[in-house]
C-alpha cells in the first residue's frame, strides 16, 4: 500500500489549461485518498498548484527544496513540512526516502531527470518502488514510444519497461500502485541484500 506519493512536475504551468486542471485534480485526489504528497517545495507553476489543491482538500504535503532555490522557486510557506537541504542531490534522495511511489506530471528537463533517476534506482535495486507517468492528453506518448524502443534495441530489459506505469488518470495510477510487484533488479538483488552479502 502506498501512503506517500512523490510528484515531479513543472515549475511553470504550461500552455494548456488541462495541465492546471490535472495538477489540481491530482492534489485533491491524493488528499481525498489519505495520501501524503511529497514534492519539490515550491509555490510556482504546477508545483504550487498541486500543493495548494492538496492542502485545500485537507491533505498532508511535504516539500523538499535546496537552499539555493528557496528564493528562486519561492518556497511554499504553508506546507505541513518543508525540508530545506544543501543541494539537488540531497533533495532527490530525501524525496525518494520519504515516498512509496513516484509520479511524473507534465514538465521539462527537471521533471524528466527526477523520474528517470527514480526509475533507474528501481532497476538497480536501490529501492523497489513504482514509477509512473501521468500522460495528460498524450504529453508523454513520444517519450513512452522511445522508452519501448530502448527495449527493442536491447538497452532496457522488458521487465522494467513493462512495469513502468503510464496512464491518463491519477486514479488508474494509484490503483496500479496498490497492486504493484517490483521486477527483479538488474543485477538480481537489491542494494540492501548486497550490503548484507558483503557485510
Amino acid at each position: 500500500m502506498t501512503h506517500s506519493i512523490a510528484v515531479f512536475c513543472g515549475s511553470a504551468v504550461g500552455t494548456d489549461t488541462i495541465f492546471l486542471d490535472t495538477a489540481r485534480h491530482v492534489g485533491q485526489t491524493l488528499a481525498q485518498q489519505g495520501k501524503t504528497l511529497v514534492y519539490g517545495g515550491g509555490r510556482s507553476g504546477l508545483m504550487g498548484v498541486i500543493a495548494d489543491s492538496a492542502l485545500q482538500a485537507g491533505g498532508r504535503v511535504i516539500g523538499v527544496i535546496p537552499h539555493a532555490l528557496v528564493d528562486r522557486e519561492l518556497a511554499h510557506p504553508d506546507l505541513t513540512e518543508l525540508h530545506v537541504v544543501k543541494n539537488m542531490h540531497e533533495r532527490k534522495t530525501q524525496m525518494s526516502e520519504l515516498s512509496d511511489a513516484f509520479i511524473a506530471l507534465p514538465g521539462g528537463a527537471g521533471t524528466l531527470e527526477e523520474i528517470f533517476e527514480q526509475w533507474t534506482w528501481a532497476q538497480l535495486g536501490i529501492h523497489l518502488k513504482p514509477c509512473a507517468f501521468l500522460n495528460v492528453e498524450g504529453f508523454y506518448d513520444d517519450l513512452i514510444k522511445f522508452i519501448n524502443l530502448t527495449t527493442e534495441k536491447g538497452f532496457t530489459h522488458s521487465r522494467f519497461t513493462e512495469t513502468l506505469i503510464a496512464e491518463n488518470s491519477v486514479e488508474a495510477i494509484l490503483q496500479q500502485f496498490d497492486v504493484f510487484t517490483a521486477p527483479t533488479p538488474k543485477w538480481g538483488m537489491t542494494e540492501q541484500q548486497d550490503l548484507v552479502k558483503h557485510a
Side-chain angles (χ1 to χ4, degrees):
M1 182 68 71
T2 53
H3 301 289
S4 298
I5 310 293
V7 174
F8 306 123
C9 58
S11 58
V13 296
T15 57
D16 195 321
T17 55
I18 190 65
F19 302 137
L20 280 170
D21 293 341
T22 298
R24 291 190 188 102
H25 180 67
V26 169
Q28 292 167 357
T29 301
L30 293 178
Q32 289 166 358
Q33 293 198 16
K35 313 289 189 186
T36 295
L37 167 65
V38 179
Y39 86 116
R43 63 182 184 187
S44 61
L46 296 185
M47 293 171 66
V49 172
I50 193 171
D52 286 340
S53 62
L55 291 166
Q56 289 165 8
R60 186 167 181 259
V61 181
I62 300 174
V64 184
I65 192 168
H67 284 288
L69 295 182
V70 168
D71 294 326
R72 296 179 200 172
E73 290 188 357
L74 301 173
H76 200 297
D78 300 318
L79 305 179
T80 312
E81 297 177 22
L82 179 64
H83 301 265
V84 179
V85 296
K86 291 180 181 179
N87 52 49
M88 290 294 290
H89 297 294
E90 286 194 12
R91 179 196 227 179
K92 292 180 293 180
T93 298
Q94 187 162 122
M95 288 180 70
S96 181
E97 291 171 348
L98 289 168
S99 305
D100 300 313
F102 310 92
I103 302 175
L105 270 65
T111 299
L112 294 176
E113 188 264 344
E114 289 167 328
I115 190 66
F116 273 111
E117 181 167 62
Q118 296 306 325
W119 188 42
T120 300
W121 288 4
Q123 293 178 46
L124 295 175
I126 294 171
H127 65 66
L128 299 177
K129 303 171 184 179
C131 297
F133 288 95
L134 182 50
N135 192 21
V136 182
E137 299 259 307
F139 184 85
Y140 283 119
D141 281 354
D142 289 339
L143 180 61
I144 293 162
K145 183 178 178 181
F146 173 75
I147 289 170
N148 288 329
L149 179 65
T150 69
T151 291
E152 293 170 18
K153 298 299 183 181
F155 292 104
T156 307
H157 197 285
S158 60
R159 68 181 182 273
F160 301 126
T161 50
E162 289 167 1
T163 52
L164 180 64
I165 299 164
E167 296 284 353
N168 59 14
S169 77
V170 67
E171 290 86 356
I173 288 174
L174 293 175
Q175 287 175 0
Q176 290 203 43
F177 281 171
D178 286 341
V179 297
F180 178 78
T181 299
T184 302
K186 189 172 183 179
W187 308 120
M189 63 177 64
T190 67
E191 183 182 69
Q192 291 78 12
Q193 290 170 328
D194 191 47
L195 288 172
V196 171
K197 179 180 178 181
H198 291 93

